Amino acid sequence: MTTTIIGFPRIGEHRELKFLTEKYFHHEIDEEKLQAGAKALRQKHWQQLHTAGIDYLPSNDFSFYDQTLDTAFLLNIIPEEVSQLELSDLDKYFALARGYQGPAGDIKALPMKKWFNTNYHYLAPKFEKQTTIKVRGAKIFQEFQEAQALGIDTRPVLIGPFTLLSLGEFSDDLQAQDFVPALITAYQEIFTKLKTLGADWLQLDEPALVKDLTPADLALFSALYEPLLAQKAGLKLLLQTYFGDIRDAYETVIDLPFDGIGLDFVEGLQTLELVKTGFPADKTLFAGIVNGKNIWRNNYQKSLAILQQLPVEDLVLSTSCSLLHVPYTTANENFEPAILEHFAFATEKLQELVDLSEILSGNDSQLLTQNQALFAKKRIQENTALATKIANLTEADFTRTPAFAKRESLQAQALNLPLLPTTTIGSFPQTREVKQARAQYKRQEITETAYDAFIANQINDWLAWQTEIGLDVLVHGEFERNDMVEYFGQNLAGYLFSQNGWVQSYGTRGVKPPIIWGDIQREQAITVKWSAYAQSQTDKIVKGMLTGPVTILNWSFPREDLSLKETALQLALAIQDEVLDLEAQGIRIIQIDEAALREKLPLRKSDWYSEYLDWAIPAFRLVHSQVQPTTQIHTHMCYSQFTDIIQAIDDMDADVISFEASRSNLEILDELKAQHFQTQVGPGVYDIHSPRVPSVAEITNTIEEILAKVPANKLWINPDCGLKTRGVPETKASLTNLTTAAKEIRTKLSAPVTSRR
Ligand code: GLN
Ligand code: ZN
């Protein structure tokens, strides 16, 4: 039995790639140094896989920013304004990723979106009239040769044309079909070139196949692959899917002359059944059996039970998706052995693949016995009181009274805010100074008193500055938080934290998802101290800032022995305590961030409510259902891709919601109107994911565009997300422009700033 993986974390064991790339962004190293560092990392990773005993290694799973952007770049799917910039190829690539503001021009970054049901983000390729698809990049070829030079034959990886088109944005009246012939030609050119270089296999990633597919989608798939497979240039093609099963495409796919098909047996609920209906003898099945998304040890007995049912002769053991979504290794963690033995990060998953292969080949029975002993252990002590409390929840626990419309007018009177109130999403820049203070405190290098004084000072400075530029609803700035989920987890029983468990979120950004180990309970007040402090320093309203239960869950590594629903309710009860404490301390606006609510929406529509929204939305309501009518509940969601679940978002029954609409477009607003969305909205008037500063005119324009679709008395003016990843100068410049723009529009609407809403 042989083994492979779909992809490996490219960021490096110690996030080397992040630091290297950021140095390049800050002009501290040149391109040559960056490339050399990247090459060394790739080499280390290949050698590691090789030493671990993995049989088939991927290449081109490396990326400086994002693999979808790499594929678009390779195929010359580059907006005209960027091709024309007088910049190196690498800088054009980064301009697409991050925007560019400098002597060569001023362009916005490509839209950044969530990668299927993960917390990874890709850059959406833009297909325009001028787009001329051709092979222009060389990365995939160079990396193949690079491994070859080390004596390692790899299987290059590329996003397949179907997924590329399905992720693309099309300008004018263009559509996917328009680009089919050019894509076929270009992919075939890549096949030929790879074959010439000595490649045996090519992996085409087609995760878009796990979604609901219409007959038109399937026709597009066939229109791409029939001609492609007719001329493979002697290369073997692996069609790789992940994040679910391919029930709509299975028949189509097995009838096509692919050489290998990669299926997900972890998230793919129907994968096993599909394969049991038959799998062609002339194809290799790449069975994704080791979970590429979670950090728990693989249960060998369960995996073997699946593998042994497969009516397949030619089997390669693989991961369920790229290991990009899990941290690098448990070797740098200091959990006690009784805990650590339950975890497998990317490196340890390699060993699991090799173990499974050994067991299946009948070489080692000890491995199975040991694994069974691990799973037989009693890991935690259950909290039975909590389970009873959850079992006894009733409809009233999930319902806030009075209804929204009544609350809206009560809050207008109580809060006395101007028309188009301005605010931010919560965090201010996490400067070196801020991070250093937190780190020193954690290492006990400074006293609690010194640390508290530092945080208080930051809060006071930023409160004063917010007041000076005239923001209406202030925030304390979240300086005490490393991360919006980890910070909460640290104060909740049931959580564990890794030291180095970084996972790439986008570009050079990583997150360190905490691990839900046991039952959740709030141990003490979490945010009350700093929110109450900030409110005590000003007469203006300071918004309390919390992370909601669904986001905490979605950005943690969840348990595999408790349902997500049950875990969400445990979290909701803990955050409910926090909300009520804040309210009792005089906090009048409380924002409960559900940044990641959309993220775990099942990829198939038919599963949306039954598998997810039916518990996720009530979990959010449970958090705020008990507050006073005049306490205003805000929520924030990253990204505006919720056009299709607007009703569910309204059912969260928040009073105000902010979201990202600036980086994609304002289409969502038409839908809000069409569906009579009640909740007040802050669609985000500029993009914080890029360092460029929007001018007053640009923001004024955006607000006017929004006002054409949203009534003024429902509209809030804010950036599209928290500002913690930004620098201070650009933050101050941007927010100053934001408040100026809001004031200009208010004047235009000729509503005096002091008028009641
Ligand atoms: N309140 C958080 C912040 O401002 C929200 C972050 C997020 O939406 N990702 O950082
Ligand atoms: Zn956000």
Side-chain angles (χ1 to χ4, degrees):
M1 192 74 45
T2 52
T3 54
T4 190
I5 61 166
I6 296 176
F8 198 65
R10 55 215 180 203
I11 208 85
E13 180 170 2
H14 302 289
R15 289 183 295 157
E16 293 89 336
L17 186 62
K18 167 195 173 68
F19 299 116
L20 206 58
T21 313
E22 286 175 352
K23 274 194 188 143
Y24 179 75
F25 292 161
H26 299 141
H27 308 288
E28 290 161 25
I29 57 168
D30 60 11
E31 177 170 349
E32 204 178 317
K33 281 233 168 64
L34 176 63
Q35 297 286 8
K39 186 174 173 183
L41 264 182
R42 290 191 291 262
Q43 176 163 351
K44 176 181 162 186
H45 297 168
W46 282 319
Q47 271 159 353
Q48 189 181 334
L49 294 177
H50 190 67
T51 313
I54 298 296
D55 299 299
Y56 305 117
L57 311 196
S59 62
N60 201 42
D61 54 335
F62 173 87
S63 176
F64 274 119
Y65 211 92
D66 166 50
Q67 70 272 14
T68 306
L69 177 61
D70 291 355
T71 307
F73 208 79
L74 168 70
L75 297 170
N76 197 40
I77 305 166
I78 302 175
E80 185 79 355
E81 51 170 10
V82 177
S83 344
Q84 283 172 359
L85 291 178
E86 291 207 9
L87 293 175
S88 70
D89 255 23
L90 184 66
D91 286 344
K92 283 184 189 172
Y93 172 86
F94 283 135
L96 290 169
R98 318 169 64 226
Y100 175 87
Q101 210 166 26
D106 180 0
I107 63 142
K108 286 192 187 176
L110 288 178
M112 186 164 70
K113 297 183 172 174
K114 292 245 178 228
W115 179 242
F116 296 85
N117 54 0
T118 73
N119 184 26
Y120 175 78
H121 304 69
Y122 69 95
L123 291 150
K126 259 193 178 150
F127 292 86
E128 303 174 325
K129 276 242 157 61
Q130 302 92 321
T131 306
T132 315
I133 294 178
K134 59 175 187 210
V135 181
R136 93 187 277 285
K139 181 178 172 291
I140 184 171
F141 310 117
Q142 284 165 358
E143 287 177 22
F144 176 76
Q145 288 178 291
E146 209 176 283
Q148 213 173 28
L150 301 168
I152 298 174
D153 281 326
T154 58
R155 179 185 73 241
V157 179
L158 203 56
I159 303 288
F162 180 70
T163 296
L164 191 72
L165 286 171
S166 87
L167 301 178
E169 298 206 334
F170 297 86
S171 54
D172 311 312
D173 43 11
L174 295 168
Q175 46 183 345
Q177 281 74 6
D178 303 332
F179 297 92
V180 168
L183 279 174
I184 293 169
T185 311
Y187 275 85
Q188 268 162 353
E189 194 181 324
I190 296 167
F191 297 172
T192 309
K193 183 110 191 251
L194 284 173
K195 185 69 198 175
T196 315
L197 295 177
D200 192 13
W201 282 86
L202 170 66
Q203 169 182 328
L204 292 174
D205 283 5
E206 292 287 13
L209 286 183
V210 310
K211 300 178 64 156
D212 288 320
L213 301 176
T214 62
D217 295 326
L218 288 173
L220 176 64
F221 183 82
S222 300
L224 286 160
Y225 277 99
E226 275 166 14
L228 274 180
L229 289 161
Q231 285 183 54
K232 295 188 276 192
L235 209 58
K236 288 187 194 145
L237 284 191
L238 163 59
L239 176 79
Q240 183 63 57
T241 65
Y242 38 83
F243 304 145
D245 62 60
I246 58 165
R247 63 187 87 148
D248 297 336
Y250 189 73
E251 297 266 301
T252 311
V253 161
I254 56 169
D255 282 345
L256 286 167
F258 286 106
D259 303 277
I261 298 178
L263 301 176
D264 177 352
F265 286 85
V266 174
E267 277 191 281
L269 299 175
Q270 292 186 17
T271 302
L272 179 59
E273 272 171 62
L274 290 170
V275 177
K276 278 177 161 177
T277 64
F279 190 85
D282 62 345
K283 298 190 198 322
T284 310
L285 174 65
F286 289 69
I289 197 74
V290 168
N291 193 336
K293 273 189 178 170
N294 213 343
I295 44 76
W296 300 93
R297 287 295 313 271
N298 185 279
N299 186 325
Y300 291 170
Q301 196 177 18
K302 282 192 183 164
S303 295
L304 293 169
I306 294 173
L307 294 170
Q308 278 154 356
Q309 290 178 60
L310 299 177
V312 176
E313 314 214 328
D314 194 1
L315 190 65
V316 178
L317 300 185
S318 186
T319 49
S320 65
C321 60
S322 168
L323 295 173
L324 176 72
H325 309 291
V326 289
Y328 196 93
T329 178
T330 62
N332 303 319
E333 303 299 334
N334 50 15
F335 295 118
E336 46 188 279
I339 292 177
L340 198 64
E341 64 182 0
H342 291 278
F343 299 146
F345 295 178
T347 302
E348 293 71 35
K349 286 174 192 285
L350 304 177
Q351 187 58 49
E352 293 189 327
L353 284 165
V354 175
D355 283 0
L356 284 167
S357 138
E358 290 289 303
I359 299 170
L360 271 174
S361 314
N363 295 344
D364 200 327
S365 55
Q366 271 299 86
L367 290 169
L368 178 59
T369 327
Q370 284 164 8
N371 185 269
Q372 282 172 311
L374 176 71
F375 279 87
K377 285 185 187 172
K378 185 169 171 63
R379 211 171 43 79
I380 57 157
Q381 198 64 47
E382 279 136 73
N383 183 338
T384 44
L386 181 60
T388 311
K389 188 168 178 186
I390 289 175
N392 292 337
L393 290 171
T394 67
E395 197 47 39
D397 293 298
F398 296 96
T399 314
R400 187 172 174 201
T401 54
F404 173 81
K406 184 83 208 285
R407 297 195 314 258
E408 192 175 34
S409 68
L410 291 173
Q411 288 166 16
Q413 279 168 26
L415 300 172
N416 195 21
L417 292 164
L419 191 65
L420 309 183
T422 52
T423 192
T424 61
I425 305 305
S427 60
F428 280 126
Q430 295 256 327
T431 56
R432 195 163 294 195
E433 202 191 358
V434 168
K435 287 186 193 156
Q436 197 184 338
R438 264 204 324 265
Q440 284 174 332
Y441 176 53
K442 197 172 160 194
R443 293 195 299 258
Q444 299 185 337
E445 289 164 16
I446 55 174
T447 62
E448 182 164 354
T449 320
Y451 174 70
D452 281 359
F454 173 85
I455 298 287
N457 214 355
Q458 289 287 324
I459 292 176
N460 285 37
D461 286 353
W462 282 92
L463 286 175
W465 182 79
Q466 292 173 82
T467 311
E468 187 187 308
I469 65 163
L471 277 164
D472 300 305
V473 173
L474 313 191
V475 294
H476 77 284
E478 303 182 22
F479 303 107
E480 75 288 2
R481 302 184 193 177
N482 37 5
D483 172 279
M484 63 186 289
V485 170
E486 188 172 64
Y487 183 71
F488 284 82
Q490 266 156 357
N491 292 286
L492 295 172
Y495 262 100
L496 288 180
F497 300 88
S498 64
Q499 299 285 312
N500 290 290
W502 293 98
V503 176
Q504 190 174 6
S505 159
Y506 73 92
T508 61
R509 303 287 175 192
V511 291
K512 195 148 58 71
I515 299 164
I516 305 182
W517 171 260
D519 291 329
I520 301 293
Q521 211 157 23
R522 190 180 77 144
E523 295 186 301
Q524 68 254 331
I526 305 172
T527 64
V528 176
K529 171 172 157 183
W530 291 120
S531 284
Y533 171 78
Q535 186 61 82
S536 76
Q537 300 296 300
T538 174
D539 293 335
K540 292 202 144 196
I541 298 176
V542 179
K543 185 161 62 164
M545 200 60 60
L546 302 172
T547 307
V550 186
T551 296
I552 297 185
L553 175 62
N554 287 353
W555 281 348
S556 302
F557 288 117
R559 284 166 66 175
E560 289 185 344
D561 61 346
L562 186 76
S563 72
L564 294 176
K565 172 184 174 173
E566 192 84 1
T567 313
L569 292 175
Q570 290 186 354
L571 284 161
L573 286 172
I575 303 299
Q576 183 192 63
D577 290 347
E578 186 71 15
V579 166
L580 295 175
D581 277 357
L582 281 173
E583 186 181 52
Q585 293 296 315
I587 304 299
R588 293 187 286 165
I589 300 185
I590 301 171
Q591 179 173 311
I592 306 162
D593 290 325
E594 283 293 12
L597 188 121
R598 182 71 170 73
E599 188 169 306
K600 293 279 160 74
L601 193 67
L603 293 171
R604 286 174 193 281
K605 261 192 176 163
S606 47
D607 296 337
W608 281 2
Y609 283 86
S610 56
E611 299 285 321
Y612 184 68
L613 293 170
D614 283 350
W615 56 259
I617 302 297
F620 181 86
R621 285 205 309 263
L622 178 59
V623 172
H624 69 90
S625 59
Q626 309 302 316
V627 300
Q628 298 300 313
T630 47
T631 299
Q632 192 169 65
I633 298 294
H634 289 217
T635 187
H636 167 74
M637 288 178 56
C638 295
Y639 306 93
S640 56
Q641 289 169 293
F642 55 82
T643 317
D644 33 19
I645 51 163
I646 286 176
Q647 212 44 61
I649 302 301
D650 226 6
D651 287 345
M652 292 165 79
D653 206 19
D655 299 304
V656 181
I657 174 168
S658 62
F659 52 89
E660 179 259 358
S662 63
R663 194 160 176 168
S664 42
N665 51 48
L666 300 172
E667 260 163 44
I668 176 86
L669 302 176
D670 293 319
E671 256 337 278
L672 294 182
K673 191 170 166 186
Q675 299 198 30
H676 309 288
F677 196 69
Q678 290 198 63
T679 318
Q680 296 182 11
V681 292
V685 297
Y686 77 87
D687 170 21
I688 66 92
H689 303 87
S690 135
R692 70 184 283 282
V693 174
S695 66
V696 175
E698 193 176 319
I699 301 178
T700 320
N701 249 329
T702 306
I703 299 177
E704 275 175 346
E705 270 179 70
I706 297 173
L707 277 173
K709 297 161 189 277
V710 178
N713 63 357
K714 287 268 186 198
L715 184 63
W716 285 68
I717 307 297
N718 47 260
D720 68 356
C721 196
L723 295 158
K724 70 172 179 205
T725 57
R726 294 272 62 93
V728 173
E730 76 229 26
T731 297
K732 290 198 166 174
S734 301
L735 287 179
T736 306
N737 290 352
L738 176 145
T739 46
T740 308
K743 282 175 204 156
E744 275 182 20
I745 303 270
R746 276 178 207 154
T747 315
K748 263 199 203 158
L749 294 173
S750 66
V753 174
T754 50
S755 75
R756 302 258 162 117
R757 305 182 68 221

